[in-house]
Every structure is written in C-alpha cells, then in structure tokens.
Amino acid sequence: MCQTGTETLRQRPVAGKSKDTLVSGTTDRNQENRPTTTDPTKKEGKRKLNNPVWSSTLPFYPPSDKYWRIGNTWYDLSSFNHPGGKQVLELSRDRFEDATFAFEAHHHDYQRARKILQKYRVPDEVIAKEKDHFVDRPTREESSQARFAGPRPTHHDRLLDANNYPNLADDDAFYSVLRRRVAAYLRDVGCKDGGPTWACIVFFWSTFFTWLSGMCLTYHTGSYWWAAFTGFFGAWLCSFGHNWTHQPKYKNWGWGILSLDMCGYSSEGWFRDHVLQHHMFTNTPWDHHLHCMDPFLLTDPCTPRNFVQRNISPYLFHAFFSWGSYFNYFFHTVWLLQGWEEWSIGKPIFLIEHYLFWQKWGFHGLCLVLATNAVVANYFFTLSWMNHNAEETKDVKARNESKDWGEAQLRSCADWSVHLNFFQSMIYLNLNYHTLHHMFPKVDFCHYPNIQRIMEDTCQDFGIEYAHYKNPLKLYWNMILTFGENPSSVKEILVYGGGAI
C-alpha cells in the first residue's frame, strides 16, 4: 500500500470543456499502419481446430496451450514468477485468444515490463517445431459446425478473418505517453505500483463494518428502512470489491470476497469476466456486458430493436436491475456446474444470508434481503451502465478506428463530476472516473482524481475526444435513450480495434 495519504495528493482543477461538449476535437495525427509479424504457427495442409473455451457464454479459441501471444510475438511465461500470481497469466492464455491488451492495460510502467517480457521470448524456429501446441481459429464457414455451437455464436470480423492481432503501442502513441506520465506521477507521490493509500484502506474497513452493522440491524428489527440503509452501503462495498478485484494482492487476501461475494457477486467470476474480458474488449461482441440483458434491454448498437425494445423496455430497466444480484448468482452457479468457473469459499455466503433471514422472519425475511439487494443492484448497475451507454460510447466507427487500446477505451467510456475528490466520489461509487479506471485498472481508484488532469492534458495534446458530463442526470437520460436507439450504420465492431489496425 502507499504511504502517502489521499489528503496530501494535489487536487487540480479540471481542464477543457465539460460535457455537454467534448474536451477536445478530433485527432489530426497521421496513422501509420504497422505490419504485423508473420505468424510462425502458420502451416500448410489440414487445419487443426479445437473446441471453443467458454467465458460468460462467449466462445474463445486460445491459439496455444503452452505459449502467450503478446504483440504478435510468442512468449513462454510458464516459469515466470508473476507478481500478480499465476491465475491471471493462465487465464489470459487459456481462456482468451490474445494477451496483448491484458499486458498493456496492467503495466503503467510499460517500458520496464517490456524489458522483462523480452527475457521470455520464444524464437521463431522453436515455435515452428512445436506445431502440436497450436490450433487454428475456425473460419466463418467452419463456425457453423455443430461442435462450435453454444449459447452465443463465434464472433468474426475483418481483422479476425485476416488473422490480424494487436501490436504493442509505439512509444509515441497516445496510450504510451499517458502511461509514462501517470507512472512518473505515481513515483513522485511515493506510490509507484499504484496501490491504495492508508486512507483508502481505512475507508474500506469502515464501509465494511457499516454494512455489516446494517445487516445485523435489519436481521434483528425486520425493518425495510434498515434494509435500504444496508443496500446503500452494500453498493459502496461492491465499489471497493470492484477495486480489489483488479489488484491480485488484495483479492488473494480475501477482500474481494468481503466486498463482492457478500452481495451475491463472485469475486472469482469477476476476476475473469470483468478484469480480462469486459475491460479488454469493452463494448465489443466479446464484452459479456454488451448482451447480458438481451432480449429485455439491448445495448449493442448494431442490433435492431423491436417496438417494445425501443419504447418500453428502456424505461423499465430499474425493474430488471432489481434482480441483478440474483441473475449474477444464478448464471455464475450454472457456469460453475458446467466447469467454466472456479469454486470460491465465498460462494455459499449469499445463500447463508437468505437462510438466516428466512429462519428468523420467514417470507418477510426473504423480502428484506431482496430489498437490500435491489438497492445494491440499482445503485451499482445504474452508475456502471451510465459509463458505457452514453451516445459517445456507441460510435462504432470511431472505436474501430482508434489508434491504440487506450484511445479505444476513451471511445467506450463516459464520465461525470470529475472535479470531486476520492471521498466525495464515493457517492458515485467512484465510477465517475471510469475512463481512468479502464485505462489504468490496476491503479487504485483513490488516485484517479489526481491523475484525471494528466489524462485530460494528454487528450488535448493528441487531439482525442474525451466525453464527460457536468450533470450526471443528463448522462442518465442519455443512457435511457441509447437503450432504444436505432442501430449503428456500422454493422461490424472490431474486437481488436485500437491495436490491430
């Protein structure tokens, strides 16, 4: 953890225009199409296809059971003592098709990380001799075979069809420059790893015990007022869980269980689905969040809406969100039984809570827990969906044309009230700084108010648009409208947009 307290960090005024317009204009930098390296696994003759690996109902085709592909180069990290543990390494290789975005996103000191990575590079001649460790991705025609059938069809786009995978960002790219500036700032404040401050940790434990006290008072009094109180702080607790899930040390200490599993959300499931899927492929067909409410609530800008989906469902989303904790728990349980998920000691907690309330209060007790979880889900999901369902985040053409992964995240997120400090931002679960969270997921959210100005200045330097709203209610209404909007004129979202252009 960082020794610097949040009260000593500089609070700088927000630069640029505050949305209703955008911070800066469109980019005028010339885009250079960097050629990707020839894939050493490319082989003539019969193609070797593997069955899909499922991640939150979406099929992926990991190309190797031994090596990691990062920036169109192969690495053997099996012997690497990763600071974040083996789990994140193995998930990035065994559940997804490329590890470039995961590597880029989780190393703000990317220059040091790349130097270390080079020690594990596998020569092309070695790769060429180990064809048994590689498989091919099915073509559009091959995907129609029964063996590839599942909850959702295999995604294809023009980059995947061309076997065009992400490159590492150049040193003069927007995201590289931003990462160097943020890394320098974190070193200056004595927190180079971006971990939480002592003030943040004290705030977390205060929130946890406030939530726990609320649960006890709800249990003993049977009051819906205390249930609402508990739900309010339960959402705060989920906000911390969202934060800890991105920091393996605190997740491994069980803080994720205390924050997420207590409210029905699996910290293990989030580690894969949220950290390595939603964050890496935000607002693309590989982002489970893009279709998780289908057919009731559509968020995919390329999917046509019927009359109900245009005019009725968008105004009922709070009713859908009220059951969010239960939807999450149910589907995670199904995936656990199917072998797609890892068992966690936190899994039974949610059921135990319901059992205890039912034992004391009967049906009324179950209603108390439902009311608590409805407050949690509506509070948390409303704000988090505002982040990714603004008008600006549905510009498929702009996202597809992003020049690096960081710019693609800017095209996929919207913020509000970015003048607040860390403690004030908790009223918004610190999701008002969500763009920074997506670009620096491993950096603790207590630092976001202080590096916000760095991001805005870098956007202005590169002429890249950044959307943030003065009034969160305007963004809230904007989100409702996007739920029912007619689909985008661009019909294909590139999952590797921002890296494989």
Side-chain angles (χ1 to χ4, degrees), residues 164-175:
N164 196 351
Y165 296 97
N167 296 298
L168 295 174
D170 292 333
D171 283 338
D172 62 349
F174 162 76
Y175 189 45

Side-chain angles (χ1 to χ4, degrees), residues 101-126:
F101 288 167
F103 175 79
E104 291 279 76
H106 291 92
H107 298 98
H108 50 270
D109 190 355
Y110 74 92
Q111 293 171 313
R112 177 175 178 272
R114 289 183 186 181
K115 289 179 181 178
I116 296 173
L117 182 66
Q118 289 307 309
K119 300 176 183 178
Y120 299 90
R121 180 171 180 169
V122 182
D124 288 356
E125 56 269 22
V126 174

Side-chain angles (χ1 to χ4, degrees), residues 243-262:
N243 186 50
W244 302 138
T245 302
H246 288 277
Q247 302 178 56
K249 179 171 73 172
Y250 297 98
K251 171 186 171 293
N252 293 338
W253 285 359
W255 292 15
I257 292 176
L258 294 178
S259 307
L260 290 172
D261 295 76
M262 291 289 189

